[in-house]
Amino acid sequence: MTESNFIPNYNLTLLKDGKVSWASPSNIALVKYWGKKENQIPENPSISFTLDACKTETELVFEARQNTEDSFSFDVFFEGEKNEAFKPKIETFFKRIQKYLPFLKQYHFTINTANTFPHSSGIASSASGMSALALCLMSIEKQLNPEITTAYFNKKASFLARLGSGSACRSIEGDLVVWGQHNDIEESSDLYGVKFTSEVHPVFKNYNDTILLVDKGEKQVSSTVGHNLMYNHPYAQNRFKQAVENITAMKTILKSGDLKGFIALLESEALTLHAMMMTSMPYFILMKPNTLEIINKIWEFRAQTGLHIGFTLDAGANVHVLFPDDEADKINDFINKELVAYCQNGHYICDKIGFGAKQL
Ligand code: DP6
């Protein structure tokens, strides 16, 4: 599929008004997306686990406008309160997707949105938020053109979500999702995420992700600034090449159920992401002392018990602790006794691998 497949060619028969709602999850990358080209095209492919509990729920109310001017018309309410802070990002999103959804300027939109996880948790809500909004817009397109298939609906929702936030394109469908063209992944594309359809060992079923909230503040480095750090980065080309190799390695691991290999790759990816930030100009350290305390505790516990506990990081200080479900009792016990003390106000979120967005 190319971009032109997402430009609609149906006759626009306007609906007067209506309402659509979606719940869309966050996701955690196992092989990270870090670095992008023009138009939200990733420098390297990435693969993620879809989360289950961390979701954004969005209701989109649309009313046909009397006079359609050359501007977008929308209001945003976050957890019931009018929110001006989200507007610029949504305005940019609308500008980027206008070509693919020509009805956008013909409606006034009221966007009512809320997260199932605490707002000030340091958890990026752009993936769940942008994917939920993209899905709502696709539901309007589906009403305008009932012919579109579920496969097209999901592909275009992912394509649009990508234009809102890259990682958002991995939040539409599937427990494991690949975004970015890769020779070993069928149908993979830089334009949208695809469900990982190769064999996955049952040990990855119900896989746990407990998110330890080390720092609940706003992101220190916005993703735009972060990705830009990869321009003229001395190690960028090697990193992009490594990510391609790591996707191949991950595919083999997911099939075999080699948990040791999984953890090694997972943690190496997390530390590489942070190493890229430490070695860019300007440079950043996004881990906090407690991030390192947690990592060391995990390593110590793993060496002592032989249990399959591993971690990954986003572009921040919080730690995602990943482990198989059959070891959950022992590992949850360890988390409660040893790791929760390093979380801000003792806060953490228990999540699991999920299966994608749902219409409400
Ligand atoms: C570190 O998707 O937030 O979480 O495309 O600029 O919105 P934009 O970036 P974003 O970047 C996420 C980067 C990451 C790794 C990942 O999720 O793959």
Side-chain angles (χ1 to χ4, degrees), residues 29 32-34 36 40 126 165-167 170 223 227 273 314-315:
K32 310 286 181 184
Y33 147 57
W34 198 242
K36 61 180 166 183
Q40 297 284 102
S126 65
S165 177
S167 55
R170 298 189 311 238
S223 56
H227 289 286
L273 170 72
D314 261 341

Side-chain angles (χ1 to χ4, degrees), residues 203 205-210 259 301 305-310 321-337 339 348 350-353:
V203 77
K205 270 215 178 96
N206 283 328
Y207 218 78
N208 291 265
D209 178 359
T210 296
L259 283 180
F301 178 74
T305 62
L307 292 173
H308 298 97
I309 179 170
V321 187
L322 271 68
F323 50 95
D325 211 36
D326 63 353
E327 297 180 11
D329 287 347
K330 285 183 189 149
I331 292 176
N332 279 327
D333 195 45
F334 161 69
I335 291 174
N336 281 315
K337 287 198 180 122
L339 302 186
Y348 65 99
C350 291
D351 212 332
K352 270 185 183 275
I353 189 164

Side-chain angles (χ1 to χ4, degrees), residues 34 122 214-223 225-227 229 270-271 273-280 282-292 295 313-319:
W34 198 242
V214 170
D215 181 13
K216 302 198 284 171
E218 283 286 305
K219 271 192 186 176
Q220 226 187 81
V221 181
S222 76
S223 56
V225 171
H227 289 286
L229 297 174
L271 296 179
L273 170 72
H274 281 250
M276 288 298 111
M277 280 178 254
M278 289 190 220
T279 50
S280 54
Y283 42 81
F284 296 95
I285 300 183
L286 299 185
M287 291 187 215
K288 298 280 184 205
N290 281 352
T291 313
L292 285 174
I295 292 174
L313 306 165
D314 261 341
N318 295 336
V319 183

Side-chain angles (χ1 to χ4, degrees), residues 84-97:
E84 295 298 324
F86 289 165
K87 285 193 90 174
K89 202 159 182 195
I90 296 175
E91 177 91 26
T92 306
F93 177 49
F94 280 176
K95 275 186 196 144
R96 287 185 189 157
I97 62 173

